[in-house]
Amino acid sequence: MRHIQLGIPFWPGEQKQAWLIEARIDFQSFNEPVLANMMLPDNPPGFTLLNEVAASPGYGFAIIEHDGQRRGEWSKNNAAGLQTLYYKAQLIPDANKVDMTESPRPIARQVLWSDAETTAATDIIDQARSKSSTPESLTRELLRLLRNPEPGQNTALLLTNHSTAEALDKLLNQAGIPTRLSVGLYLEDARRRQGLTPMIEIFTEGRWLVFDPQTGFQGLPENLLLWQRGGESLLDVVGGRNSRVSFSMIEQTLPSLKLAQSQFAGQGLAWLGVHSLPIEEQSMFKLLFLLPLGAMVVVFMRIIIGLKTSGTFMPILIALAFLQTSLGLGLISFISIVAMGLVIRTWLSRLNLLLVSRIATLVVLVVFLVSMLSLVGYQLGFSTGMTITFFPMIIIAWTIERMSILWEEEGPKQVVVQGGGSLLVAVFAYLIMQLPLFGHLTFNFPELNLIILAIIMLMGQYTGYKLSELRRFRAMLEQP
């Protein structure tokens, strides 16, 4: 649902195509108030409007919706000389936005011709109807007649005073087919000073169909942006003369995740995500959502593989520390701190301190050890030296205490086995948690942690042999 409703991609680093379109309005003004308004794209089929902005110094700007049409309005109390206004829109292709239905059904407009044009139009419509059976086929036949390189007398008469689009619009309305004149912009990368192309839309079977009068093409091309669909004129300027509008465009490649966040902010399931939180808290949750993944690795390595670790979930915290430092630096720092801590713990045992006091003392000493390593790393030129402070102090202090007791009770071998097992599990957890795919999925689709929870619970019910125990019972398999 997050992917469908909010457009959040499943894969990190996905890119989407976007178009940045700039409309430029030029006109002359002569020391008088100016009011200019232009039709703006309104939910165009095949595209989603991401953002829009007007850049015209000295002018007030507002977007006005009137009679179902969006128009941008520029105003200035007094202007003189050549005036230039800019409107920029960023759109992304959206193949799902092809719905061009409308309710209620529009009706055909009344058409006014001259006497001669009325006779010619009637003959053309009768000729086209004899070879068509649907509104679409009638439109195609009329276009064929109008675009004929050697037009007949009737066609030539209509095209004398009308463009192909205007003649087709009137002929279709006379034939009882509702239409509307639209203009579209063909998108080509890095094009400048482009004009709009007139289009004809016919209404049939509850939807609008687009025809290009210049090419006769039926349908909406992928690279055509319908800038204006019916309505009033494209551009009106009061207080100016010789107005014209041109378009420039450039194709962009933008990260899909950022587009989804800006496009669907506050919609649908967006409020359930963490993207609305401050950046500082988002960074915290990005690490926090990786904890279940590390927990699953620990459960697998202990229950299924059978590795021994010093503590149950200490490897997860070590893996998180590796994410903040680096694997090589993290291993060196952890081993150094624990080794020096064991030496200090041996000295503390001679003081016969109580457990609580001994642990608190270790915490203070571990802080000094970490600080010392950070300063030494900085002096040696390691830029990541200060990140050693991300190691969990309390956990390291408790680990030193447990390993010291283990050394006294079971010997150094078990210290190496359990300490090495903890580091091995931490390394495996780090290698999985640092993958961009898992970081992307757990942060943007936190519900996936419920699947990890189910896997952990399933492994928790396993009571069979661990893989490490198969070597112990290998002799049983060799008996006859």
Side-chain angles (χ1 to χ4, degrees), residues 368-381:
F368 278 103
L369 289 175
V370 171
S371 302
M372 182 181 66
L373 283 177
S374 298
L375 292 174
V376 170
Y378 177 76
Q379 294 298 327
L380 293 177

Side-chain angles (χ1 to χ4, degrees), residues 31 125 249 273 285 333 391 412 473:
N31 290 317
I125 293 173
M249 65 206 72
F285 275 106
S333 303
F391 277 110
F473 297 100

Side-chain angles (χ1 to χ4, degrees), residues 170-401:
K170 287 190 172 184
L171 288 171
L172 288 171
N173 279 278
Q174 182 173 334
I177 300 175
T179 66
R180 65 183 178 195
L181 282 171
S182 301
V183 289
L185 183 65
Y186 280 99
L187 302 179
E188 299 179 42
D189 190 24
R191 297 301 299 268
R192 302 174 61 247
R193 301 297 178 93
Q194 297 298 297
L196 295 170
T197 302
M199 310 295 289
I200 289 290
E201 294 185 65
I202 69 168
F203 190 83
T204 175
E205 297 181 355
R207 60 194 181 102
W208 290 100
L209 290 180
V210 180
F211 287 86
D212 188 342
Q214 303 301 321
T215 63
F217 182 82
Q218 175 182 337
L220 187 66
E222 291 184 359
N223 65 330
L224 178 67
L225 169 66
L226 287 179
W227 190 274
Q228 176 187 2
R229 305 175 67 189
E232 303 173 3
S233 60
L234 173 67
L235 175 65
D236 294 323
V237 178
V238 178
R241 300 176 185 174
N242 301 323
S243 61
R244 60 188 181 276
V245 59
S246 60
F247 296 85
S248 302
M249 65 206 72
I250 188 171
E251 186 178 9
Q252 300 175 317
T253 302
L254 302 176
S256 299
L257 183 59
K258 288 186 177 180
L259 284 175
Q261 292 174 1
S262 60
Q263 182 180 355
F264 298 102
Q267 301 181 20
L269 296 174
W271 66 276
L272 285 174
V274 297
H275 299 97
S276 58
L277 296 175
I279 299 298
E280 183 179 359
E281 296 186 20
Q282 289 188 41
S283 301
M284 178 191 67
F285 275 106
K286 194 163 189 176
L287 287 176
L288 191 63
F289 284 144
L290 288 172
L291 284 176
L293 196 62
M296 183 180 68
V297 174
V298 172
V299 171
F300 176 79
M301 298 297 287
R302 293 200 55 168
I303 295 179
I304 307 300
I305 303 299
L307 281 180
K308 293 182 179 180
T309 61
S310 178
T312 305
F313 292 107
M314 185 195 71
I316 305 176
L317 299 177
I318 298 177
L320 283 178
F322 289 166
L323 290 176
Q324 296 294 326
T325 58
S326 64
L327 185 58
L329 179 62
L331 284 172
I332 294 173
S333 303
F334 180 79
I335 294 174
S336 302
I337 293 171
V338 172
M340 288 187 288
L342 286 174
V343 174
I344 295 174
R345 170 62 177 77
T346 303
W347 175 73
L348 287 177
S349 62
R350 301 176 183 177
L351 301 178
N352 295 323
L353 299 176
L354 296 177
L355 177 62
V356 176
S357 177
R358 191 164 62 242
I359 294 295
T361 303
L362 280 175
V363 169
V364 175
L365 293 176
V366 165
V367 170
F368 278 103
L369 289 175
V370 171
S371 302
M372 182 181 66
L373 283 177
S374 298
L375 292 174
V376 170
Y378 177 76
Q379 294 298 327
L380 293 177
F382 295 108
S383 59
T384 55
M386 296 301 292
T387 57
I388 297 175
T389 55
F390 282 100
F391 277 110
M393 306 295 179
I394 305 299
I395 298 299
I396 289 182
W398 186 250
T399 300
I400 294 172
E401 175 67 18

